[in-house]
């Protein structure tokens, strides 16, 4: 980022009403971030320097910590009494830190009050809420999964948006013409994380769960079985063979009506240079390759929230976490820095480090003209209304690993062992009976948990 951008950030922040303050005593904000790439660190350092310039006497020290090492590093810092004032990390680690009692929930409450609770996407805030209603962290960025679909094809056939189980299945059937290598949908059937992500969103929308609030394993339930059977039905409209995230090849070549994917797909749909990796026959012998369709973005719509028994979206989020400190000056500086990081100019600078991968948790940012001018020129091709629709998924984001503010590490261990995708593979590819596959999955989950 150049000096001109730096001046833009500082100037915009001042224009937005943040005043230069002078603390009576020097204050330090040590900020651990999971963004370890050099270019991203440079951006964050710029934001820190801008904040320092606006706040006399405050030092912001940016420290990059690999997300996989964050929990270990934090444990060591707690033991040594050298915890940072602020961290940026994923929601699973945030909830674990909250349970340790080292999080400054008062600062979080103060920030939410200042910004306005209603400005945060509801599901994102709920994800970081403790069982007692405190906020273990503040949602900052994340990606969202849903169904990307050919709105023009749906309109031609009078199909409703694929946001309910019934609508999805109806559209999958209507848009499938296997004789002409045309498919209505693609759901993951390989033994991989893509399959798990697709299944999880459908399962959550049917009120299925891995654990209840007491920590009991409740995966083997009528709701889960119903989801497996539904998933098997959808797989009938898949291209042949076990399928994974390469679904996008079919979609970009005009051979598929809809597919599950995260917001990371946005630049593939919009930019010819990025799309070319999906326009060959390299990954599927059924595909002959194709040319980039410049109208694809215009003809694509997104359904982030799926509803059957309840509304559910799937994704991941990272947040900002203030940690308890003995210094009132450091606490105040940390709160001020967090609010600076949510100021539109700062926030957009941060989010633009990974367009599509980092989406805003505050309403209104996605439609901000400055946000739409991302470095890759992608967002303006979607326009403010589609951008608003995409991030609306954060209102209903849920997961198996957090239930009513309680986190269950066993869910992560189950994910690591690919229990669910193997179950789906057995049913959709090997033809195993759904209840028998569910029983086997439950037995494996219990073995992982040491029961």
């Amino acid at each position: 980022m150049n000096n001109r951008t730096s001046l833009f950030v500082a100037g915009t922040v001042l224009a937005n009403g943040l005043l230069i303050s002078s603390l009576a005593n020097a204050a330090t904000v040590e900020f651990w971030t999971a963004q370890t790439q050099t270019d991203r660190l440079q951006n964050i350092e710029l934001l820190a320097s801008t904040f320092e310039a606006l706040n006399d006497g405050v030092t912001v020290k940016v420290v990059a910590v690999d997300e996989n090492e964050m929990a270990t590093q934090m444990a060591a810092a707690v033991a040594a009494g050298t915890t940072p004032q602020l961290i940026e990390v994923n929601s699973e680690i945030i909830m674990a830190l909250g349970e340790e009692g080292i999080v400054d929930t008062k600062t979080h409450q103060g920030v939410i009050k200042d910004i306005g609770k209603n400005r945060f996407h509801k599901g994102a805030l709920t994800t970081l809420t403790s069982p007692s209603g405190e906020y273990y962290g503040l949602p900052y960025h994340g990606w969202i999964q849903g169904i990307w679909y050919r709105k023009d094809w749906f309109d031609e056939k009078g199909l409703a948006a694929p946001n309910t189980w019934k609508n999805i299945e109806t559209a999958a059937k209507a848009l499938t013409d296997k004789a002409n290598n045309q498919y209505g949908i693609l759901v993951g059937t390989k033994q991989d994380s893509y399959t798990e992500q697709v299944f999880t969103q459908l399962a959550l929308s049917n009120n299925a769960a891995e654990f209840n609030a007491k920590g009991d394993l409740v995966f083997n339930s009528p709701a889960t079985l119903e989801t497996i059977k539904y998933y098997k039905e959808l797989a009938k409209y898949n291209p042949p063979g076990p399928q994974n995230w390469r679904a996008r090849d079919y979609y970009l070549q005009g051979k598929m009506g809809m597919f599950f994917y995260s917001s990371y797909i946005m630049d593939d749909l919009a930019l010819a240079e990025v799309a070319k990796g999906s326009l060959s026959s390299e990954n599927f012998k059924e595909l002959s390759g194709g040319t980039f369709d410049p109208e694809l973005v215009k003809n694509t719509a997104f359904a982030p929230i799926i509803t059957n028994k309840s509304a559910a979206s799937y994704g991941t989020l990272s947040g900002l976490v203030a940690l308890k400190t003995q210094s009132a000056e450091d606490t105040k500086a940390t709160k001020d820095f967090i609010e600076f990081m949510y100021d539109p100019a700062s926030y957009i600078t941060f989010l633009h480090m990974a367009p599509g991968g980092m989406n805003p948790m505050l309403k209104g940012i996605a439609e901000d003209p400055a946000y739409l001018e991302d470095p890759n020129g992608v967002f303006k091709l979607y326009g403010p209304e589609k951008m608003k629709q995409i991030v609306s998924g954060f209102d209903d984001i849920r997961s198996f690993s957090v239930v009513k503010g309680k986190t269950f590490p066993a869910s992560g261990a189950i994910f690591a062992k690919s229990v669910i995708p193997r179950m789906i593979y057995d049913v959709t590819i090997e033809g195993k009976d759904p209840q028998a596959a569910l029983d086997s999955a439950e037995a494996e989950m219990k073995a992982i948990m040491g029961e």
Side-chain angles (χ1 to χ4, degrees):
M1 187 172 289
N2 57 35
N3 290 331
R4 183 180 175 188
T5 308
S6 176
L7 291 171
F8 164 76
V9 172
T12 308
V13 170
L14 287 169
N16 285 341
L18 288 181
L19 301 176
I20 295 177
S21 66
S22 178
L23 295 180
N25 298 302
T28 299
V29 180
E30 185 171 322
F31 177 35
W32 288 13
T33 174
Q35 310 305 320
T36 57
Q37 298 96 319
T38 302
D39 57 337
R40 295 188 186 184
L41 276 174
Q42 289 173 344
N43 279 348
I44 297 169
E45 290 277 8
L46 167 67
L47 292 172
S49 298
T50 304
F51 179 77
E52 288 175 338
L54 296 170
N55 293 270
D56 194 27
V58 180
T59 300
V60 179
K61 181 182 178 184
V62 179
V63 180
V65 180
D66 187 281
E67 195 154 64
N68 296 319
E69 299 174 8
M70 186 71 80
T72 305
Q73 297 261 34
M74 275 300 302
V78 170
T82 57
T83 53
Q85 282 72 32
L86 183 66
I87 63 172
E88 175 255 336
V89 74
N90 69 54
S91 58
E92 287 79 11
I93 293 177
I94 291 172
M95 298 306 288
L97 291 174
E99 291 173 357
E100 292 292 320
I102 61 174
V103 166
D104 184 358
T105 55
K106 286 185 179 179
T107 288
H108 297 158
Q109 182 66 49
V111 170
I112 290 169
K113 183 180 178 181
D114 289 348
I115 292 176
K117 184 178 178 180
N118 291 336
R119 286 216 50 213
F120 287 87
H121 284 289
K122 183 180 177 182
L125 209 50
T126 301
T127 298
L128 301 183
T129 303
S130 76
S132 62
E134 295 180 310
Y135 301 105
Y136 283 159
L138 299 163
Y140 198 63
H141 64 85
W143 56 259
I144 199 77
Q145 172 184 279
I147 297 179
W148 302 84
Y149 64 101
R150 287 293 299 259
K151 179 74 163 53
D152 52 338
W153 296 3
F154 273 65
D155 290 347
E156 284 171 13
K157 291 186 176 288
L159 296 166
N163 52 17
T164 69
W165 279 26
K166 181 180 179 182
N167 290 355
I168 295 167
E169 187 174 3
T170 298
K173 184 176 182 180
L175 297 173
T176 297
D177 181 5
K178 293 186 178 181
N180 289 306
N181 197 28
Q182 199 78 28
Y183 301 92
I185 195 169
L186 191 146
V187 293
T189 50
K190 278 191 173 179
Q191 301 174 55
D192 62 12
S193 58
Y194 175 77
T195 296
E196 176 141 358
Q197 290 170 197
V198 175
F199 176 82
T200 300
Q201 185 168 7
L202 291 169
L204 291 169
S205 74
N206 201 41
N207 289 340
E210 281 184 354
F211 298 95
N212 62 20
K214 297 177 182 177
D216 303 319
L217 184 67
V218 294
F219 189 66
N220 197 340
S221 68
T224 306
L225 180 62
E226 188 179 14
T227 309
I228 297 169
K229 290 179 177 178
Y230 175 71
Y231 202 100
K232 184 178 181 180
E233 282 300 307
L234 291 185
K236 291 180 179 177
Y237 306 107
N238 260 15
Q243 295 297 337
N244 66 354
W245 59 272
R246 293 255 41 134
R248 64 191 199 184
D249 293 15
Y250 281 90
Y251 190 82
L252 267 78
Q253 293 187 37
K255 292 295 183 180
M256 182 173 292
M258 54 181 165
F259 71 116
F260 283 84
Y261 217 91
S262 77
S263 46
Y264 274 104
I265 196 68
M266 292 174 68
D267 55 354
D268 295 78
L269 302 179
L271 304 176
E273 181 64 24
V274 184
K276 68 180 182 181
S278 291
L279 296 175
S280 70
S281 59
E282 180 182 349
N283 299 298
F284 299 100
K285 65 179 187 295
E286 298 86 8
L287 292 176
S288 57
T291 57
F292 177 69
D293 179 2
E295 298 294 305
L296 190 57
V297 166
K298 186 182 79 172
N299 291 327
T300 294
F302 182 54
I305 299 167
I306 294 171
T307 304
N308 193 43
K309 292 174 184 168
S310 65
S313 62
Y314 179 89
T316 65
L317 65 87
S318 291
L320 299 174
V321 183
L323 298 173
K324 290 179 179 177
T325 177
Q326 298 298 316
S327 165
E329 289 80 16
D330 289 358
T331 298
K332 182 186 184 306
T334 300
K335 180 173 179 286
D336 290 345
F337 182 61
I338 292 171
E339 294 185 358
F340 167 83
M341 291 292 282
Y342 278 112
D343 186 85
S346 311
Y347 202 13
I348 290 167
T349 296
F350 193 102
L351 298 171
H352 277 177
M353 295 192 301
M358 289 180 176
N359 295 282
M361 298 294 157
L362 292 183
K363 296 173 184 174
I365 297 294
E367 306 112 86
D368 189 308
Y371 182 72
L372 294 175
E373 291 291 335
D374 69 284
N376 300 328
V378 172
F379 293 163
K380 62 185 176 184
L381 296 175
Y382 284 81
E385 285 306 309
K386 279 189 181 178
M387 295 302 295
K388 182 180 179 180
Q389 172 72 5
I390 289 166
V391 299
S392 71
F394 290 114
D395 281 326
D396 290 291
I397 189 170
R398 289 152 61 193
S399 74
F400 279 154
S401 60
V402 178
V403 182
K404 295 183 178 178
K406 293 183 180 178
T407 182
F408 300 105
S411 183
I414 289 166
F415 179 87
K417 295 288 187 180
S418 300
V419 177
I420 289 175
R422 274 208 308 279
M423 176 187 74
I424 295 299
Y425 175 86
D426 287 345
V427 171
T428 58
I429 302 299
E430 298 293 337
K432 189 172 184 176
D433 173 73
Q435 183 63 65
L438 180 53
D439 291 343
S440 297
E442 179 191 39
E444 192 171 352
M445 288 178 178
K446 287 182 175 180
I448 291 168
M449 295 167 64
E451 294 182 6

